[in-house]
Amino acid sequence: MAFNVEFLVTGASGFLGEVVTRELARRGERVVGLYRHHPIEIAGATLLSCDLSDLDQTRLLCRELRPRVVIHAAAQTNVGDAEKNPQEARRDIVQATAVLTKCLAEESPATTVVAVSTDQVYDGQPRAGDEAYRIEDPPKPLSVYGRLKLEAETHVAKLPLHSIVRTALIYGPRGTHRGSFLEWLAEGLVRGDRRELFIDEIRTPIFVEDLARALISLGKMKSCGYWLAGGLDRLSRYQMGLLVADRLGVDSSLVVPTRLSETLTPAPRPADLTLDSDSLWQEVGIERIGFEEGLDRSLARRREPR
């Protein structure tokens, strides 16, 4: 196996990783995408199976490919599952990242790594005089998932060329194997199911295609450091649900307001994760779209035949 690889995308069968891989292939870049459980085909890309937590597999892959840029989007992403199965989550989040970065350092030290992290590294508690997180704010994760993602960041930060991108809630049209929370919302509302959504859990949701373009740009620019990646709008889960119901033309009473502060959840959930991510978008020169435009694009794509 020998490739002249510009980009290597981990988690290429996941929600974000698939969009990144498809965008790179559309641009004509030489891209290899990795998957573990779910085989996928993307025109113009080479797809390979690899368990990143396996040292021998990953070392051979890095030795053969020596990619110019790695976009590391592979990880377990369910906060509740991480809380219930912390050892499995550690393997998928921390061990996989530690093995990947070790192998790149040994086999391809000139590679730029752009690693996807999360806003869940923050606790979401009120901050005096400042409602938005900035990258200089200290992390204080509440959940197992947040702590594991923060630990994974430390392995990436050891590399000479790296960007660590803490993303807000990601949404967009469903991919081959994975969808965002929009799919859960839309499917349920169309069936007439009630959806209980928090009025006191605030996010700055980011459209997946905007995020994918930003990650690619950081890789090309060889930027180094930490970044926040959020959207234009500050919305509660409940507000997002009402907008989805409106676009679908369903009864808005199916969207039921609830309070995070009064609900027992599988994992602790930060209340307000508003991100100030202007510095990222200025750096990469990308104009984000607002949530309603992203929602319209996502729902329009949802109606297209697969």
Side-chain angles (χ1 to χ4, degrees), residues 125-204:
Q125 298 304 304
R127 295 166 305 286
D130 182 12
E131 67 177 14
Y133 279 102
R134 294 180 173 83
I135 199 61
E136 58 268 22
D137 290 325
K140 295 178 183 178
L142 299 179
S143 64
V144 168
Y145 176 75
R147 290 193 291 273
L148 292 176
K149 291 294 282 187
L150 187 61
E151 185 177 346
E153 289 182 5
T154 64
H155 294 283
V156 179
K158 295 173 185 177
L159 296 173
L161 296 170
H162 68 270
S163 284
I164 295 166
V165 183
R166 294 171 178 165
T167 73
L169 181 68
I170 308 170
Y171 72 97
R174 181 178 176 82
T176 302
H177 296 295
R178 295 289 301 275
S180 69
F181 75 98
L182 284 185
E183 198 71 16
W184 170 79
L185 261 177
E187 285 184 352
L189 294 175
V190 167
R191 285 196 305 264
D193 297 343
R194 289 158 46 98
R195 288 296 192 228
E196 295 186 353
L197 297 172
F198 297 121
I199 62 174
D200 52 352
E201 184 186 8
I202 309 298
R203 297 290 184 269
T204 43

Side-chain angles (χ1 to χ4, degrees), residues 10-226:
T10 72
S13 63
F15 177 58
L16 172 61
E18 180 177 350
V19 175
V20 173
T21 307
R22 288 190 185 280
E23 176 63 17
L24 286 165
R26 185 190 67 79
R27 297 183 186 190
E29 299 282 3
R30 295 184 298 277
V31 55
V32 171
L34 303 182
Y35 64 88
R36 189 176 68 176
H37 294 306
H38 303 292
I40 188 172
E41 294 183 2
I42 297 174
T46 299
L47 279 299
L48 300 174
S49 174
C50 182
D51 180 352
L52 291 174
S53 65
D54 184 298
L55 180 61
D56 291 336
Q57 276 191 54
T58 306
R59 178 183 285 121
L60 178 60
L61 185 91
C62 293
R63 181 178 300 156
E64 293 288 339
L65 299 184
R66 298 184 189 275
R68 186 174 68 84
V69 179
V70 172
I71 297 180
H72 182 37
Q76 198 266 58
T77 58
N78 188 296
V79 177
D81 286 351
E83 204 76 20
K84 290 182 276 189
N85 301 293
Q87 290 308 116
E88 182 178 334
R90 169 169 288 278
R91 182 198 67 200
D92 292 346
I93 296 171
V94 178
Q95 184 178 337
T97 302
V99 169
L100 176 63
T101 54
K102 171 182 171 62
C103 293
L104 287 170
E106 293 172 352
E107 305 292 343
S108 188
T111 295
T112 298
V113 175
V114 181
V116 179
S117 190
T118 176
D119 57 4
Q120 298 286 324
V121 300
Y122 301 111
D123 64 8
Q125 298 304 304
R127 295 166 305 286
D130 182 12
E131 67 177 14
Y133 279 102
R134 294 180 173 83
I135 199 61
E136 58 268 22
D137 290 325
K140 295 178 183 178
L142 299 179
S143 64
V144 168
Y145 176 75
R147 290 193 291 273
L148 292 176
K149 291 294 282 187
L150 187 61
E151 185 177 346
E153 289 182 5
T154 64
H155 294 283
V156 179
K158 295 173 185 177
L159 296 173
L161 296 170
H162 68 270
S163 284
I164 295 166
V165 183
R166 294 171 178 165
T167 73
L169 181 68
I170 308 170
Y171 72 97
R174 181 178 176 82
T176 302
H177 296 295
R178 295 289 301 275
S180 69
F181 75 98
L182 284 185
E183 198 71 16
W184 170 79
L185 261 177
E187 285 184 352
L189 294 175
V190 167
R191 285 196 305 264
D193 297 343
R194 289 158 46 98
R195 288 296 192 228
E196 295 186 353
L197 297 172
F198 297 121
I199 62 174
D200 52 352
E201 184 186 8
I202 309 298
R203 297 290 184 269
T204 43
I206 181 65
F207 188 53
V208 66
E209 294 175 10
D210 287 344
L211 178 57
R213 291 189 296 137
L215 298 175
I216 292 168
S217 293
L218 287 174
K220 284 180 171 288
M221 297 163 62
K222 296 185 178 293
S223 293
C224 195
Y226 288 80

